[in-house]
Amino acid sequence: MADEIIKTALLDRHMKEVFDWSDSNMPVRDALWDYFMEKNGRDTMKTEEDMLPFLKDSDDKIEAFVNENLKK
């Protein structure tokens, strides 16, 4: 169980704590959810499917995705 907490710790941190270009207090997980919901026409099932890999991805992979897709 402790492994899961460590693996998703980045997802639970605020955007501004992880990314110097963000001033958002939104957790990274919520920002990703909003991104996918917007991208796929608000399809909750599709968004859930899109989010699953992030629960297993390394912090580096998550940060790279966010920098590439959410940075404005």
Side-chain angles (χ1 to χ4, degrees), residues 36 40 45-54:
F36 285 118
N40 66 34
M45 297 307 284
K46 176 80 176 99
T47 297
E48 187 177 347
E49 196 178 296
D50 290 339
M51 288 288 292
L52 282 176
F54 291 98

Side-chain angles (χ1 to χ4, degrees), residues 18-67:
V18 183
F19 303 100
D20 56 9
W21 48 263
S22 178
D23 59 1
S24 174
N25 284 318
M26 179 182 286
V28 174
R29 174 190 318 269
D30 292 354
L32 285 167
W33 181 269
D34 288 352
Y35 167 80
F36 285 118
M37 283 291 276
E38 198 62 40
K39 192 171 181 216
N40 66 34
R42 306 233 166 258
D43 182 334
T44 305
M45 297 307 284
K46 176 80 176 99
T47 297
E48 187 177 347
E49 196 178 296
D50 290 339
M51 288 288 292
L52 282 176
F54 291 98
L55 299 178
K56 297 181 182 84
D57 280 347
S58 68
D59 287 356
D60 290 345
K61 280 180 84 172
I62 295 169
E63 286 180 35
F65 182 89
V66 171
N67 276 320

